[in-house]
Amino acid sequence: MIVLGIESSCDETAFALLKNGREVLNSKIASQSEQHALYGGVIPEMAAREHLRSLMPLFQETLSEAGLAADAIDLICVTQGPGLIGALLVGVSFAKGLANALAKPLVPVNHVHAHVHGALLGLAVRSEEVFPCLALVISGGHTNLYWMTGSTDFQLLAASIDDACGESFDKVAKLLGLGYPGGPLVEALANKGNANVVAMPRILDQRERMAFSYSGLKTHVRYLLAKENDKLSPERSWDICAAFQREAFDQIIRKLQTALTLHPTARSVLVSGGVAANSYFRNVLTDAISLPCYFPDLKYCSDNAAMIAAYGWHIYEGTNDLSRFHNFVWEAYSRYEETPIGK
Ligand code: KG4
Ligand code: ZN
């Protein structure tokens, strides 16, 4: 079965072709980050217009590089939300038109859940070795921790009560005048600094509190920088980045350890989303957790369509009523309510 994935929720237009939902035949991404970098963040209307420009040529390139014609596609999967509504509407409208023209089923996909499938792509272990598991999505918009008993079963355990983890890296980068997206830039400075010489507040330290919080950490960095006035040396900024990075991830490790005591049957930890690219975090998490930790290949950490196709294929394969995928009467959504269990 040839599965097409389509992603347009933020500033990346992406297509991917997968065989049987697992083998990636081609994955293409047209990033707009250079255009948005001029403004220090994503401009929603500009993103929607860029998607409109990129979709058709990128779709044709994705097919021709894989040596396939459009009628080889058996299943289409598209990001339905959450994201920028104008950007989503462009991708969803394209997907509905394509599915209608090819008379193929169309699966609407939740972008945040799909990130987890980025960590599963190409994983050479059996599903029983992975599930049940704890799954972390750490991106520019989300810091979500899920309990998963199978590939389409998501139970939210914890989310951020304010900023997302990646968002706090972006804000700290902005305070330091580093540019956007800030995560890799802050990581590069942090890796040169000494985290022990700058104190950071331990946010939400209570072990039993299943939630994340990042705005206090970012505000603490803002005050530290304000105290330096114009005298901030490069070395001091590296130390501040190192201390910030350490606490940003220590918080996640503390919550994961609590979640593991609540779910002792977990067989693995899946980590996904743009922040999963952070190599410091990959090392400290693997040392701190005794279970196998799976991270996506770097090309599947940030937004891509392979994760959309993989997750959509699992949804399709797991449903008895396939007729619902031929009914295109559904909307895109910019936000969605997901309440942590027990709240
Ligand atoms: O998943 P993603 O590409 O887009 C969203 O759906 O948000 O995540 C982007 C986020 C940005 O906040 C970016 O700064 C962060 O991931 N990021 C990182 C690193 N690489 C990307 N954060 C920390 N360390 C990194 N190496
Ligand atoms: Zn994303």
Side-chain angles (χ1 to χ4, degrees):
M1 177 186 270
I2 301 291
V3 187
L4 175 75
I6 306 173
E7 158 61 32
S8 75
S9 64
C10 190
D11 59 345
E12 262 107 19
T13 317
F15 285 96
L17 287 161
L18 267 64
K19 195 171 168 187
N20 297 328
R22 293 182 199 275
E23 185 192 337
V24 181
L25 302 177
N26 199 7
S27 173
K28 302 280 291 177
I29 300 169
S31 175
Q32 311 168 2
S33 63
E34 270 179 31
Q35 285 99 309
H36 296 288
L38 297 171
Y39 305 94
V42 178
I43 309 291
E45 182 173 334
M46 213 170 91
R49 289 174 186 275
E50 285 298 322
H51 288 306
L52 202 53
R53 231 191 300 275
S54 312
L55 270 170
M56 206 59 211
L58 195 68
F59 172 57
Q60 277 156 353
E61 247 175 78
T62 309
L63 280 171
S64 66
E65 282 179 16
L68 294 172
D71 62 5
I73 298 166
D74 299 301
L75 176 69
I76 301 167
C77 309
V78 65
T79 300
Q80 182 183 20
L84 304 171
I85 194 64
L88 288 161
L89 289 175
V90 176
V92 165
S93 304
F94 179 91
K96 287 191 180 186
L98 185 68
N100 200 31
L102 298 174
K104 298 292 165 162
L106 176 62
V107 181
V109 165
N110 177 306
H111 175 94
V112 180
H113 296 176
H115 265 296
V116 173
H117 284 264
L120 293 168
L121 269 173
L123 208 62
V125 289
R126 287 175 302 123
S127 156
E128 308 84 86
E129 295 173 62
V130 175
F131 299 104
C133 70
L134 289 171
L136 195 58
V137 182
I138 36 177
S139 68
H142 294 87
T143 315
N144 287 4
L145 178 63
Y146 295 97
W147 171 243
M148 293 181 73
T149 56
S151 55
T152 58
D153 171 40
F154 289 84
Q155 295 167 48
L156 187 67
L157 297 179
S160 178
I161 54 172
D162 42 54
D163 291 352
C165 180
E167 183 181 2
S168 72
F169 274 84
D170 293 333
K171 288 182 174 171
V172 166
K174 201 167 190 171
L175 290 170
L176 286 162
L178 298 177
Y180 173 87
L185 304 166
V186 171
E187 182 186 5
L189 298 193
N191 293 347
K192 294 194 276 188
N194 178 359
N196 295 324
V197 297
V198 181
M200 283 284 150
R202 283 165 71 96
I203 309 281
L204 287 184
D205 202 18
Q206 312 96 303
R207 288 195 75 80
E208 70 284 1
R209 178 95 192 266
M210 288 305 287
F212 299 103
S213 167
Y214 282 96
S215 78
L217 205 54
K218 167 217 63 195
T219 305
H220 185 75
V221 171
R222 183 149 65 85
Y223 288 142
L224 281 176
L225 294 175
K227 261 197 233 155
E228 302 282 328
N229 296 317
D230 297 331
K231 298 188 292 289
L232 181 72
S233 68
E235 290 74 14
R236 176 77 176 153
S237 72
W238 302 344
D239 294 344
I240 291 174
C241 285
F244 162 77
Q245 173 173 262
R246 183 168 74 181
E247 175 50 29
F249 292 126
D250 272 3
Q251 182 186 143
I252 293 181
I253 290 171
R254 291 196 295 274
K255 299 299 161 187
L256 266 177
Q257 283 165 335
T258 303
L260 282 172
T261 61
L262 298 171
H263 296 276
T265 54
R267 297 210 170 111
S268 69
V269 175
L270 302 176
V271 186
S272 60
V275 183
N278 187 289
S279 48
Y280 164 85
F281 182 50
R282 288 181 178 228
N283 292 333
V284 288
L285 184 67
T286 313
D287 288 347
I289 305 282
S290 54
L291 292 175
C293 298
Y294 298 114
F295 297 88
D297 192 287
L298 284 184
K299 59 181 177 292
Y300 303 132
C301 283
S302 50
D303 291 349
N304 66 87
M307 66 186 198
I308 304 299
Y311 181 36
W313 177 78
H314 278 283
I315 296 173
Y316 185 78
E317 288 290 304
T319 312
N320 295 326
D321 174 21
L322 295 182
S323 66
R324 69 190 180 103
F325 301 123
H326 290 274
N327 166 6
F328 305 153
V329 190
W330 43 264
E331 294 188 34
Y333 53 89
S334 59
R335 294 178 159 276
Y336 74 119
E337 287 302 323
E338 211 178 9
T339 313
I341 51 176
K343 291 275 160 72

